[in-house]
Amino acid sequence: MDCQRCGACCAHYRVSFYWAEGNDAPGGHVPVELTERLTPHLRCMRGTSSDSPHCAALRGEVGVSVGCTIYTQRPSTCHDVQVGDAQCLKARAHHGIT
C-alpha cells in the first residue's frame, strides 16, 4: 500500500523537525501555521504531539485514501520515512493495516 492510501505514519508519530524548515525562516518551506513549537530549536506538525497523533496536513481516511495537503512543502522527517521501512510497518500495525 502506498502513502496516498495509507497515512498511518501521519496518524501515529510526532512529526518533529528543525525550526528553520518553517516558512518564516530564510529558505524554509513548511507552513508555520500548521506547526507547533516544541523547544527553541524544534517544531512539530500541529496535531502530532498528542496521545492520539494526527497531522493537521493529512486529509482523508487512514488506510483508505489520504493525502498530504503540503506534500511538496512537508518537513524532512516526512521525507525520511519510506514505504515498508520499520517505522512504516509499526504505524501500519497500530492502525490494523497489513
Side-chain angles (χ1 to χ4, degrees):
M1 176 179 291
D2 69 14
C3 295
Q4 292 300 309
R5 289 185 16 231
C6 184
C9 291
C10 308
H12 184 67
Y13 296 110
R14 181 179 72 196
V15 180
S16 57
F17 51 94
Y18 185 59
W19 71 271
E21 289 188 54
N23 64 2
D24 60 343
H29 56 276
V30 179
V32 294
E33 64 272 12
L34 294 177
T35 71
E36 298 175 18
R37 181 180 172 194
L38 289 175
T39 71
H41 302 288
L42 292 176
R43 290 181 173 164
C44 71
M45 292 303 296
R46 192 167 28 90
T48 66
S49 188
S50 70
D51 291 338
S52 296
H54 192 280
C55 182
L58 183 67
R59 296 292 180 261
E61 184 179 345
V62 173
V64 178
S65 177
V66 296
C68 176
T69 61
I70 61 163
Y71 188 79
T72 60
Q73 298 167 288
R74 69 195 189 281
S76 59
T77 306
C78 300
H79 289 272
D80 292 343
V81 177
Q82 299 295 312
V83 174
D85 72 7
Q87 286 182 306
C88 168
L89 296 177
K90 182 178 177 181
R92 286 182 183 189
H94 175 82
H95 287 280
I97 301 168
T98 55

Coordinates of all heavy atoms in Angstrom, one line a residue:
M1 N 0.9 -1.2 0.0 CA 0.0 0.0 0.0 C 0.9 1.2 0.0 O 1.8 1.3 0.8 CB -0.9 0.0 1.2 CG -1.7 1.2 1.4 SD -2.8 1.2 2.8 CE -4.0 0.0 2.3
D2 N 0.6 2.2 -0.9 CA 1.4 3.4 -0.9 C 0.9 4.4 0.1 O -0.1 4.3 0.6 CB 1.5 3.9 -2.3 CG 0.2 4.5 -2.8 OD1 -0.7 4.7 -2.0 OD2 0.1 4.8 -4.1
C3 N 1.7 5.5 0.2 CA 1.4 6.5 1.2 C 0.1 7.3 0.9 O -0.5 7.7 1.9 CB 2.6 7.5 1.3 SG 4.1 6.8 1.9
Q4 N -0.3 7.4 -0.3 CA -1.5 8.1 -0.7 C -2.8 7.3 -0.3 O -3.9 7.9 -0.3 CB -1.5 8.5 -2.1 CG -0.4 9.5 -2.5 CD -0.6 10.8 -1.8 OE1 -1.7 11.4 -1.7 NE2 0.5 11.3 -1.1
R5 N -2.7 6.1 0.0 CA -3.8 5.3 0.5 C -3.7 5.0 2.0 O -4.7 4.7 2.7 CB -3.9 4.0 -0.3 CG -4.4 4.2 -1.7 CD -4.7 2.9 -2.5 NE -4.8 1.7 -1.7 CZ -4.2 0.6 -2.0 NH1 -3.3 0.5 -3.0 NH2 -4.4 -0.5 -1.3
C6 N -2.5 5.1 2.5 CA -2.2 4.6 3.9 C -2.4 5.8 4.9 O -3.4 5.9 5.6 CB -0.8 4.0 4.0 SG -0.4 3.3 5.6
G7 N -1.3 6.6 5.1 CA -1.3 7.7 6.0 C -1.1 7.3 7.4 O -1.2 8.1 8.3
A8 N -0.8 6.0 7.7 CA -0.6 5.6 9.1 C 0.5 6.3 9.8 O 0.3 6.7 11.0 CB -0.3 4.1 9.1
C9 N 1.6 6.6 9.2 CA 2.7 7.3 9.8 C 2.2 8.7 10.3 O 2.6 9.2 11.4 CB 3.9 7.5 8.9 SG 4.7 5.9 8.6
C10 N 1.4 9.3 9.5 CA 0.9 10.7 9.8 C 0.0 10.7 10.9 O -0.3 11.8 11.5 CB 0.3 11.3 8.5 SG 1.3 11.2 7.0
A11 N -0.6 9.6 11.3 CA -1.5 9.5 12.4 C -1.0 8.5 13.5 O -1.7 7.9 14.2 CB -2.8 9.0 11.8
H12 N 0.4 8.5 13.6 CA 0.9 7.6 14.6 C 2.1 8.3 15.3 O 2.3 8.1 16.5 CB 1.4 6.3 14.0 CG 1.9 5.3 15.0 ND1 1.1 4.7 16.0 CD2 3.2 4.8 15.2 CE1 1.9 3.9 16.7 NE2 3.1 4.0 16.3
Y13 N 2.9 9.0 14.6 CA 4.1 9.6 15.1 C 4.1 11.1 15.3 O 3.3 11.8 14.6 CB 5.3 9.3 14.2 CG 5.7 7.9 14.0 CD1 5.4 7.2 12.8 CD2 6.2 7.2 15.1 CE1 5.7 5.9 12.7 CE2 6.5 5.8 14.9 CZ 6.3 5.2 13.7 OH 6.6 3.9 13.6
R14 N 4.9 11.6 16.3 CA 5.1 13.1 16.3 C 6.0 13.4 15.2 O 7.1 12.8 15.0 CB 5.7 13.5 17.6 CG 5.9 15.0 17.7 CD 6.4 15.5 19.0 NE 7.8 15.1 19.1 CZ 8.5 15.1 20.2 NH1 7.9 15.4 21.4 NH2 9.8 14.8 20.2
V15 N 5.7 14.4 14.4 CA 6.5 14.8 13.3 C 7.2 16.1 13.7 O 6.8 17.2 13.6 CB 5.6 15.1 12.0 CG1 6.5 15.6 10.9 CG2 4.8 13.9 11.7
S16 N 8.5 15.9 14.3 CA 9.3 17.0 14.7 C 10.4 17.2 13.8 O 10.9 16.3 13.1 CB 9.8 16.8 16.1 OG 10.5 15.6 16.2
F17 N 10.9 18.5 13.7 CA 11.9 18.9 12.8 C 12.5 20.2 13.2 O 12.0 20.9 14.1 CB 11.3 19.0 11.4 CG 10.1 19.9 11.3 CD1 10.2 21.3 11.0 CD2 8.9 19.4 11.5 CE1 9.1 22.1 10.9 CE2 7.7 20.2 11.4 CZ 7.8 21.5 11.2
Y18 N 13.7 20.6 12.7 CA 14.4 21.8 13.0 C 13.5 23.0 12.6 O 13.0 23.1 11.5 CB 15.7 21.8 12.2 CG 16.6 22.9 12.6 CD1 17.1 23.1 13.9 CD2 17.1 23.8 11.6 CE1 17.9 24.2 14.2 CE2 17.9 24.9 11.9 CZ 18.3 25.0 13.2 OH 19.2 26.1 13.5
W19 N 13.5 24.0 13.5 CA 12.6 25.1 13.4 C 12.8 25.9 12.0 O 11.8 26.4 11.5 CB 12.8 26.1 14.5 CG 14.1 26.8 14.5 CD1 15.3 26.4 15.0 CD2 14.4 28.1 13.8 NE1 16.3 27.4 14.7 CE2 15.8 28.4 14.0 CE3 13.6 28.9 13.0 CZ2 16.3 29.5 13.4 CZ3 14.2 30.1 12.5 CH2 15.6 30.3 12.7
A20 N 14.0 25.9 11.5 CA 14.3 26.7 10.3 C 13.7 26.1 9.0 O 13.8 26.7 8.0 CB 15.8 26.9 10.1
E21 N 13.1 24.9 9.1 CA 12.3 24.4 8.0 C 11.0 25.1 7.8 O 10.4 25.0 6.7 CB 12.1 22.9 8.2 CG 13.3 22.0 8.0 CD 13.0 20.5 8.0 OE1 12.2 20.1 7.1 OE2 13.6 19.8 8.8
G22 N 10.6 25.9 8.8 CA 9.4 26.7 8.7 C 9.5 27.8 7.7 O 10.6 28.3 7.5
N23 N 8.4 28.2 7.1 CA 8.5 29.2 6.0 C 8.7 30.6 6.6 O 8.7 31.6 5.8 CB 7.3 29.1 5.1 CG 6.0 29.4 5.7 OD1 5.9 29.6 6.9 ND2 4.9 29.2 4.9
D24 N 8.8 30.7 7.9 CA 9.1 32.0 8.5 C 10.6 32.2 8.7 O 11.1 33.2 9.2 CB 8.4 32.2 9.8 CG 8.8 31.2 10.9 OD1 9.3 30.1 10.5 OD2 8.5 31.4 12.1
A25 N 11.4 31.2 8.2 CA 12.9 31.3 8.2 C 13.4 31.4 6.8 O 12.7 30.9 5.9 CB 13.5 30.1 8.9
P26 N 14.5 32.1 6.6 CA 15.0 32.2 5.2 C 15.2 30.7 4.6 O 15.9 29.9 5.2 CB 16.3 32.9 5.4 CG 16.2 33.7 6.6 CD 15.3 32.8 7.5
G27 N 14.7 30.5 3.5 CA 14.8 29.2 2.8 C 13.9 28.1 3.4 O 13.9 27.0 2.9
G28 N 13.1 28.4 4.4 CA 12.2 27.4 5.0 C 11.0 27.2 4.1 O 10.6 28.1 3.2
H29 N 10.3 26.1 4.2 CA 9.2 25.8 3.3 C 7.9 25.2 4.0 O 6.9 25.2 3.4 CB 9.7 24.7 2.3 CG 10.3 23.5 2.9 ND1 11.6 23.5 3.3 CD2 9.8 22.3 3.2 CE1 11.8 22.3 3.9 NE2 10.7 21.6 3.8
V30 N 8.0 24.7 5.2 CA 6.9 24.2 5.9 C 6.0 25.3 6.4 O 6.5 26.2 7.2 CB 7.3 23.3 7.1 CG1 6.1 22.7 7.8 CG2 8.3 22.2 6.6
P31 N 4.7 25.3 6.1 CA 3.8 26.4 6.5 C 3.7 26.4 8.1 O 3.3 25.5 8.7 CB 2.5 26.0 5.9 CG 2.8 25.1 4.8 CD 4.0 24.4 5.2
V32 N 4.2 27.5 8.7 CA 4.3 27.6 10.1 C 2.9 27.6 10.8 O 2.8 27.1 11.9 CB 5.1 28.8 10.6 CG1 6.5 28.7 10.2 CG2 4.5 30.1 10.2
E33 N 1.9 27.9 10.1 CA 0.5 27.9 10.7 C 0.1 26.4 11.0 O -0.9 26.2 11.7 CB -0.5 28.6 9.8 CG -0.7 28.0 8.5 CD 0.2 28.5 7.4 OE1 1.2 29.2 7.7 OE2 -0.1 28.3 6.2
L34 N 0.8 25.5 10.4 CA 0.5 24.1 10.6 C 1.5 23.4 11.6 O 1.5 22.2 11.7 CB 0.5 23.3 9.3 CG -0.6 23.7 8.3 CD1 -0.5 22.9 7.0 CD2 -2.0 23.4 8.9
T35 N 2.3 24.3 12.3 CA 3.3 23.7 13.2 C 3.1 24.2 14.7 O 2.3 25.2 14.9 CB 4.7 24.1 12.8 OG1 4.9 25.5 13.0 CG2 5.0 23.8 11.3
E36 N 3.7 23.6 15.6 CA 3.8 24.0 17.0 C 5.2 24.0 17.4 O 6.0 23.2 17.0 CB 3.0 22.9 17.9 CG 1.6 22.7 17.6 CD 1.0 21.6 18.4 OE1 1.6 21.2 19.4 OE2 -0.1 21.1 18.0
R37 N 5.5 24.9 18.4 CA 6.9 24.9 18.9 C 7.0 23.9 20.0 O 6.2 23.7 20.8 CB 7.1 26.3 19.5 CG 8.5 26.5 20.1 CD 8.7 27.8 20.7 NE 10.0 27.8 21.4 CZ 10.4 28.7 22.2 NH1 9.6 29.7 22.5 NH2 11.6 28.6 22.8
L38 N 8.1 23.1 19.9 CA 8.4 22.1 20.9 C 9.5 22.6 21.8 O 9.4 22.5 23.1 CB 8.9 20.8 20.3 CG 7.9 20.0 19.5 CD1 8.6 18.8 18.8 CD2 6.9 19.5 20.5
T39 N 10.6 23.1 21.3 CA 11.7 23.7 22.0 C 12.2 24.9 21.2 O 11.7 25.2 20.1 CB 12.9 22.6 22.1 OG1 13.5 22.5 20.8 CG2 12.4 21.3 22.6
P40 N 13.2 25.6 21.7 CA 13.7 26.7 20.9 C 14.2 26.3 19.6 O 14.3 27.1 18.7 CB 14.8 27.3 21.8 CG 14.4 26.9 23.2 CD 13.8 25.6 23.1
H41 N 14.6 25.1 19.4 CA 15.2 24.6 18.1 C 14.3 23.6 17.3 O 14.6 23.3 16.2 CB 16.5 24.0 18.4 CG 17.5 24.9 19.1 ND1 18.0 25.9 18.4 CD2 17.9 24.9 20.3 CE1 18.8 26.6 19.3 NE2 18.8 26.0 20.4
L42 N 13.2 23.1 17.9 CA 12.4 22.2 17.3 C 10.9 22.6 17.2 O 10.4 23.2 18.1 CB 12.4 20.8 18.0 CG 13.7 20.0 18.0 CD1 13.6 18.8 18.9 CD2 14.1 19.6 16.6
R43 N 10.3 22.2 16.1 CA 8.9 22.4 15.9 C 8.3 21.0 15.6 O 9.1 20.1 15.3 CB 8.6 23.3 14.6 CG 8.9 24.7 14.9 CD 8.6 25.5 13.6 NE 8.8 26.9 13.9 CZ 8.8 27.9 13.0 NH1 8.7 27.6 11.7 NH2 9.0 29.1 13.3
C44 N 7.0 20.9 15.6 CA 6.4 19.7 15.1 C 5.1 20.1 14.3 O 4.6 21.2 14.4 CB 6.0 18.8 16.3 SG 4.7 19.3 17.3
M45 N 4.6 19.1 13.5 CA 3.4 19.4 12.8 C 2.3 19.4 13.8 O 2.2 18.6 14.7 CB 3.2 18.3 11.8 CG 4.2 18.4 10.6 SD 4.2 20.0 9.7 CE 2.6 20.1 9.0
R46 N 1.4 20.4 13.7 CA 0.3 20.5 14.6 C -0.6 19.3 14.6 O -0.8 18.7 13.5 CB -0.6 21.7 14.2 CG -1.6 22.1 15.3 CD -2.2 23.5 15.0 NE -2.3 24.0 13.6 CZ -3.3 23.7 12.8 NH1 -4.4 23.0 13.2 NH2 -3.3 24.2 11.6
G47 N -0.9 18.8 15.7 CA -1.7 17.6 15.9 C -0.9 16.3 16.1 O -1.5 15.3 16.4
T48 N 0.4 16.4 16.0 CA 1.2 15.2 16.1 C 1.8 15.0 17.5 O 2.4 14.0 17.8 CB 2.3 15.0 15.0 OG1 3.2 16.1 15.2 CG2 1.7 15.1 13.6
S49 N 1.7 16.0 18.3 CA 2.3 16.0 19.6 C 1.2 15.7 20.7 O 1.0 16.5 21.6 CB 3.1 17.2 20.0 OG 3.8 17.1 21.1
S50 N 0.5 14.6 20.5 CA -0.6 14.3 21.4 C -0.6 12.8 21.6 O 0.1 12.1 21.0 CB -1.9 14.8 20.9 OG -2.3 14.1 19.7
D51 N -1.5 12.3 22.5 CA -1.6 10.9 22.7 C -2.2 10.2 21.5 O -2.0 9.0 21.3 CB -2.5 10.7 24.0 CG -1.8 11.1 25.3 OD1 -0.6 11.1 25.3 OD2 -2.6 11.3 26.2
S52 N -3.0 10.9 20.7 CA -3.6 10.3 19.5 C -3.1 11.2 18.3 O -3.9 12.1 17.9 CB -5.1 10.3 19.6 OG -5.5 9.4 20.6
P53 N -1.9 11.1 17.9 CA -1.4 12.0 16.8 C -2.2 11.9 15.5 O -2.6 10.8 15.2 CB 0.1 11.5 16.6 CG 0.4 10.5 17.7 CD -0.9 10.0 18.3
H54 N -2.3 13.0 14.9 CA -2.9 13.1 13.6 C -2.5 14.4 13.0 O -2.9 15.5 13.4 CB -4.5 13.0 13.6 CG -5.1 12.8 12.3 ND1 -5.3 13.8 11.4 CD2 -5.5 11.7 11.7 CE1 -5.8 13.4 10.3 NE2 -6.0 12.1 10.5
C55 N -1.6 14.4 12.0 CA -1.1 15.6 11.4 C -2.2 16.5 10.8 O -3.1 16.0 10.1 CB -0.1 15.2 10.3 SG 0.7 16.6 9.6
A56 N -2.1 17.7 11.1 CA -3.0 18.7 10.6 C -3.0 18.8 9.1 O -4.0 19.3 8.5 CB -2.7 20.1 11.2
A57 N -2.0 18.4 8.4 CA -1.9 18.4 7.0 C -2.5 17.2 6.3 O -2.6 17.1 5.1 CB -0.4 18.6 6.5
L58 N -2.8 16.2 7.1 CA -3.4 14.9 6.5 C -4.9 15.1 6.3 O -5.6 15.4 7.2 CB -3.1 13.8 7.4 CG -3.5 12.4 7.0 CD1 -2.7 12.0 5.7 CD2 -3.4 11.4 8.1
R59 N -5.3 14.7 5.1 CA -6.7 14.7 4.8 C -7.1 13.3 4.3 O -6.3 12.6 3.7 CB -7.1 15.7 3.7 CG -6.8 17.1 4.0 CD -7.8 17.6 5.1 NE -7.6 19.0 5.5 CZ -7.0 19.4 6.6 NH1 -6.5 18.5 7.4 NH2 -6.8 20.7 6.8
G60 N -8.3 12.9 4.6 CA -8.8 11.6 4.2 C -8.9 10.6 5.3 O -8.8 11.0 6.5
E61 N -9.2 9.4 5.0 CA -9.3 8.3 6.0 C -8.1 7.4 5.9 O -7.8 6.8 4.9 CB -10.6 7.5 5.7 CG -10.9 6.4 6.7 CD -12.1 5.6 6.4 OE1 -13.0 6.1 5.5 OE2 -12.3 4.6 7.0
V62 N -7.4 7.3 7.1 CA -6.2 6.5 7.2 C -6.5 5.0 6.7 O -7.5 4.4 7.1 CB -5.6 6.5 8.6 CG1 -4.5 5.5 8.8 CG2 -5.2 7.9 9.0
G63 N -5.7 4.5 5.9 CA -5.8 3.1 5.4 C -6.8 3.0 4.2 O -6.9 1.9 3.6
V64 N -7.4 4.1 3.8 CA -8.4 4.0 2.7 C -7.9 4.9 1.6 O -7.6 4.5 0.5 CB -9.8 4.4 3.2 CG1 -10.8 4.4 2.0 CG2 -10.3 3.5 4.3
S65 N -7.9 6.2 1.8 CA -7.5 7.2 0.9 C -7.1 8.5 1.6 O -7.9 9.1 2.2 CB -8.6 7.5 -0.2 OG -8.2 8.5 -1.1
V66 N -5.8 8.8 1.5 CA -5.4 10.0 2.2 C -4.5 10.9 1.3 O -4.0 10.4 0.2 CB -4.5 9.7 3.5 CG1 -5.4 9.0 4.5 CG2 -3.3 8.9 3.1
G67 N -4.2 12.1 1.7 CA -3.3 12.9 1.0 C -2.8 14.0 1.9 O -3.4 14.4 2.9
C68 N -1.5 14.4 1.7 CA -0.9 15.4 2.4 C -1.2 16.7 1.7 O -0.8 16.9 0.6 CB 0.6 15.1 2.5 SG 1.5 16.5 3.4
T69 N -1.7 17.7 2.4 CA -2.1 19.0 1.8 C -0.9 19.8 1.6 O -1.0 20.8 0.9 CB -3.1 19.7 2.7 OG1 -2.5 20.0 4.0 CG2 -4.4 19.0 2.8
I70 N 0.3 19.5 2.2 CA 1.5 20.2 2.0 C 2.6 19.3 1.5 O 3.8 19.5 1.7 CB 2.0 20.9 3.3 CG1 2.3 19.9 4.4 CG2 0.9 22.0 3.7 CD1 3.1 20.5 5.5
Y71 N 2.3 18.3 0.7 CA 3.3 17.3 0.3 C 4.6 17.9 -0.2 O 5.6 17.5 0.2 CB 2.6 16.4 -0.8 CG 3.5 15.2 -1.1 CD1 3.5 14.1 -0.3 CD2 4.3 15.2 -2.3 CE1 4.3 13.0 -0.6 CE2 5.1 14.1 -2.6 CZ 5.1 13.0 -1.7 OH 5.9 12.0 -2.0
T72 N 4.5 18.9 -1.1 CA 5.8 19.4 -1.7 C 6.5 20.3 -0.6 O 7.7 20.6 -0.8 CB 5.5 20.2 -2.9 OG1 4.6 21.3 -2.6 CG2 5.0 19.4 -4.0
Q73 N 5.8 20.7 0.4 CA 6.4 21.5 1.5 C 6.6 20.8 2.8 O 6.9 21.4 3.8 CB 5.5 22.7 1.8 CG 5.3 23.6 0.6 CD 4.1 24.5 0.8 OE1 2.9 24.1 0.8 NE2 4.4 25.8 1.1
R74 N 6.4 19.4 2.8 CA 6.5 18.7 4.0 C 7.9 18.7 4.6 O 8.9 18.9 3.9 CB 6.0 17.2 3.8 CG 6.9 16.4 2.9 CD 6.2 15.1 2.5 NE 7.1 14.2 1.8 CZ 7.5 14.3 0.6 NH1 7.2 15.3 -0.2 NH2 8.3 13.3 0.1
P75 N 8.0 18.5 5.9 CA 9.3 18.6 6.6 C 10.2 17.4 6.2 O 9.7 16.3 5.8 CB 9.0 18.6 8.1 CG 7.6 18.1 8.2 CD 6.9 18.3 6.9
S76 N 11.5 17.5 6.5 CA 12.5 16.5 6.3 C 12.1 15.1 6.9 O 12.3 14.1 6.4 CB 13.8 16.9 6.7 OG 13.8 17.2 8.1
T77 N 11.5 15.2 8.1 CA 11.1 14.0 8.8 C 10.2 13.1 8.0 O 10.3 11.9 7.9 CB 10.4 14.3 10.1 OG1 11.2 15.2 10.9 CG2 10.1 13.1 11.0
C78 N 9.3 13.8 7.2 CA 8.4 13.0 6.4 C 9.1 12.4 5.2 O 8.7 11.3 4.7 CB 7.3 14.0 5.9 SG 6.3 14.7 7.2
H79 N 10.1 13.1 4.7 CA 10.9 12.6 3.6 C 11.7 11.3 4.0 O 11.9 10.4 3.2 CB 11.9 13.6 3.1 CG 11.3 14.7 2.3 ND1 11.1 14.7 1.0 CD2 10.9 15.9 2.7 CE1 10.5 15.8 0.6 NE2 10.4 16.6 1.6
D80 N 12.0 11.2 5.3 CA 12.9 10.2 5.8 C 12.2 8.8 5.9 O 12.8 7.8 5.7 CB 13.4 10.5 7.2 CG 14.4 11.7 7.1 OD1 14.9 12.0 6.0 OD2 14.7 12.2 8.2
V81 N 10.9 8.8 6.1 CA 10.1 7.6 6.2 C 9.9 7.0 4.8 O 9.4 7.7 3.9 CB 8.8 7.8 7.0 CG1 8.0 6.5 7.0 CG2 9.0 8.3 8.4
Q82 N 10.2 5.8 4.7 CA 10.0 5.1 3.4 C 8.9 4.0 3.5 O 8.8 3.3 4.5 CB 11.3 4.5 2.9 CG 12.4 5.5 2.7 CD 12.1 6.5 1.6 OE1 11.8 6.1 0.5 NE2 12.3 7.8 1.9
V83 N 8.2 3.8 2.4 CA 7.2 2.7 2.3 C 7.9 1.4 2.7 O 8.9 1.1 2.1 CB 6.5 2.7 0.9 CG1 5.6 1.5 0.8 CG2 5.8 4.0 0.6
G84 N 7.3 0.7 3.7 CA 7.8 -0.6 4.0 C 8.9 -0.6 5.0 O 9.4 -1.7 5.4
D85 N 9.4 0.5 5.5 CA 10.5 0.5 6.4 C 9.9 0.2 7.8 O 8.7 0.1 8.0 CB 11.4 1.8 6.4 CG 10.7 3.0 6.9 OD1 9.6 3.0 7.5 OD2 11.3 4.1 6.8
A86 N 10.8 0.1 8.8 CA 10.4 -0.3 10.2 C 9.3 0.7 10.8 O 8.3 0.2 11.4 CB 11.6 -0.4 11.1
Q87 N 9.5 2.0 10.6 CA 8.6 3.0 11.1 C 7.2 2.8 10.4 O 6.2 2.9 11.0 CB 9.1 4.4 10.9 CG 10.2 4.8 11.8 CD 10.6 6.2 11.5 OE1 10.9 6.6 10.4 NE2 10.6 7.0 12.6
C88 N 7.3 2.6 9.1 CA 6.0 2.5 8.3 C 5.3 1.2 8.8 O 4.1 1.3 9.1 CB 6.4 2.3 6.8 SG 5.1 1.8 5.8
L89 N 6.0 0.1 8.9 CA 5.3 -1.1 9.3 C 4.7 -1.0 10.8 O 3.6 -1.6 11.0 CB 6.3 -2.3 9.2 CG 6.7 -2.6 7.8 CD1 7.7 -3.7 7.8 CD2 5.5 -2.9 6.8
K90 N 5.4 -0.4 11.7 CA 4.9 -0.2 13.0 C 3.7 0.7 13.0 O 2.7 0.3 13.7 CB 6.0 0.5 13.9 CG 5.6 0.7 15.3 CD 6.7 1.3 16.1 CE 6.3 1.6 17.6 NZ 7.3 2.2 18.4
A91 N 3.6 1.7 12.3 CA 2.4 2.6 12.2 C 1.3 1.8 11.6 O 0.1 1.9 12.0 CB 2.8 3.9 11.4
R92 N 1.6 1.1 10.5 CA 0.5 0.3 9.8 C -0.1 -0.7 10.8 O -1.3 -0.9 10.9 CB 1.1 -0.4 8.6 CG 1.3 0.5 7.5 CD 1.8 -0.2 6.3 NE 2.1 0.7 5.2 CZ 2.4 0.3 3.9 NH1 2.4 -1.0 3.6 NH2 2.6 1.2 3.0
A93 N 0.8 -1.4 11.5 CA 0.3 -2.4 12.5 C -0.6 -1.7 13.6 O -1.7 -2.3 13.9 CB 1.5 -3.1 13.2
H94 N -0.2 -0.6 14.0 CA -1.0 0.2 15.0 C -2.4 0.5 14.5 O -3.4 0.4 15.2 CB -0.3 1.5 15.4 CG -1.1 2.4 16.3 ND1 -1.2 2.1 17.6 CD2 -1.9 3.4 16.0 CE1 -2.0 3.1 18.2 NE2 -2.4 3.8 17.2
H95 N -2.5 0.7 13.2 CA -3.8 1.0 12.6 C -4.5 -0.2 12.0 O -5.6 -0.1 11.3 CB -3.7 2.1 11.5 CG -3.4 3.5 12.1 ND1 -4.4 4.3 12.6 CD2 -2.3 4.1 12.3 CE1 -3.9 5.4 13.1 NE2 -2.6 5.3 12.9
G96 N -3.9 -1.4 12.1 CA -4.5 -2.6 11.6 C -4.4 -2.7 10.1 O -5.3 -3.4 9.5
I97 N -3.4 -2.1 9.5 CA -3.2 -2.1 8.1 C -2.1 -3.1 7.7 O -1.0 -3.0 8.3 CB -2.8 -0.7 7.5 CG1 -3.9 0.3 7.9 CG2 -2.6 -0.7 6.0 CD1 -3.5 1.8 7.7
T98 N -2.4 -4.0 6.9 CA -1.4 -5.1 6.5 C -0.8 -4.7 5.2 O -1.3 -3.9 4.4 CB -2.1 -6.5 6.4 OG1 -3.2 -6.4 5.5 CG2 -2.6 -6.9 7.7

